[in-house]
Amino acid sequence: MKIRTDFVTNSSSSNYVTISIKSPKLTEIMCAARLSEEEREPGKLGCWDRLVIDEAEQIVKLVWGISSIISDGGDWNMEDLEQTDEEDLVYIGYPPASLSDLPKNLVRLLKEGGEYYLYQQGYDLTKICSALEKSGDDILADTESADWSYETEGYGEASLFKWFWILSKMIAKKENLDYFPSFAYLSSSFHYDRENGESFKGEYSYDGNEGDMTYPFEDDFIEEDMGYSFEDDFAEDEE
């Protein structure tokens, strides 16, 4: 665990996921889901938003900024947080903890956040997800390597977003804090290759003192866990 010690001078937030999977079956599925020229309506994506299929190397690469996907700002309240569970979009890009979870996590990411990105780049989301769900075992069998990283951080104006409050609460609970950090950062990654097997890493950092946070509602957070459970992952990293 790392604690941020420098002073934050502006307001910002970022959430992005990067994936690279070397799998002949996955490459085949993605290529088969390409839309025809008549079906395509190309749009403009952000400079970092890309899906790249390397057919020669049989690698699928994806880089997405997912701030606009995981949570809207504005009108949300305590009732919204009470309904939050492990499927909350705040952790939509979280990597698999093991290779066996790779197809499931990929389907989840694509279903929740892929419609815009895939359509604009000429791919049929429905075809991809249907094929992934049917061919998960085949993908696992021929995957040579996989890298998946997810990073999210926020401070300042990020306090307007529900995902930031959930992340801040998670850190406060983990560190036994009596306040919610005004800066929160989470980084997690999964790596697999046939020679060395699989590994998962997760770390978080925070900064802020009691009284730094401006609450968007009057009630306190509920005690039950919300969002993805990080307890086991962090416990393993700290050993």
Side-chain angles (χ1 to χ4, degrees):
M1 189 277 294
K2 298 180 180 178
I3 299 178
R4 185 184 179 98
T5 57
D6 56 312
F7 183 72
V8 176
T9 59
N10 61 353
S11 300
S12 182
S13 65
S14 64
N15 310 77
Y16 59 92
V17 57
T18 60
I19 299 172
S20 177
I21 302 173
K22 184 175 177 61
S23 162
K25 185 61 178 179
L26 179 59
T27 303
E28 175 189 326
I29 289 173
M30 299 300 291
C31 291
R34 284 176 175 148
L35 298 171
S36 66
E37 292 296 330
E38 292 75 17
E39 295 174 305
R40 297 185 185 188
E41 293 182 13
K44 184 177 181 181
L45 295 174
C47 62
W48 294 107
D49 301 323
R50 291 289 182 270
L51 169 65
V52 178
I53 313 298
D54 187 333
E55 294 184 62
E57 296 294 328
Q58 298 182 317
I59 298 176
V60 175
K61 298 180 180 180
L62 180 154
V63 180
W64 284 352
I66 56 177
S67 291
S68 62
I69 301 172
I70 58 176
S71 182
D72 293 327
D75 297 331
W76 57 273
N77 50 40
M78 185 62 185
E79 184 178 350
D80 294 330
L81 292 181
E82 289 175 339
Q83 296 173 353
T84 301
D85 58 26
E86 64 181 11
E87 296 301 315
D88 190 88
L89 300 186
V90 62
Y91 301 125
I92 205 63
Y94 203 70
S98 64
L99 182 64
S100 60
D101 292 330
L102 181 62
K104 177 185 67 177
N105 283 43
L106 185 57
V107 169
R108 180 185 176 197
L109 172 65
L110 296 179
K111 280 187 174 180
E112 297 291 350
E115 184 172 8
Y116 171 75
Y117 293 120
L118 293 174
Y119 181 69
Q120 295 298 334
Q121 290 196 249
Y123 292 87
D124 187 314
L125 171 64
T126 301
K127 285 184 179 180
I128 292 174
C129 291
S130 177
L132 289 176
E133 291 171 337
K134 293 178 181 178
S135 306
D137 291 341
D138 294 333
I139 294 171
L140 293 175
D142 76 358
T143 295
E144 297 182 32
S145 64
D147 286 281
W148 184 318
S149 65
Y150 170 66
E151 293 194 23
T152 179
E153 69 174 333
Y155 49 91
E157 292 178 359
S159 62
L160 297 174
F161 294 89
K162 184 169 64 173
W163 65 263
F164 174 72
W165 286 88
I166 296 173
L167 175 59
S168 183
K169 175 188 179 292
M170 180 277 293
I171 292 176
K173 182 176 181 180
K174 180 67 177 177
E175 295 295 313
N176 295 315
L177 305 176
D178 55 4
Y179 63 91
F180 299 106
S182 57
F183 167 86
Y185 168 79
L186 170 69
S187 174
S188 54
S189 62
F190 170 78
H191 171 75
Y192 166 80
D193 65 72
R194 286 181 175 173
E195 182 177 352
N196 300 306
E198 60 189 41
S199 62
F200 177 92
K201 294 182 180 179
E203 67 175 7
Y204 63 94
S205 60
Y206 67 94
D207 189 21
N209 298 308
E210 186 173 5
D212 283 353
M213 293 287 267
T214 300
Y215 287 76
F217 48 82
E218 296 180 358
D219 299 315
D220 291 332
F221 277 87
I222 56 175
E223 294 299 324
E224 288 80 7
D225 288 339
M226 294 183 292
Y228 191 96
S229 175
F230 298 94
E231 299 296 326
D232 294 337
D233 295 332
F234 287 142
E236 293 175 1
D237 292 335
E238 293 170 354
E239 291 179 357

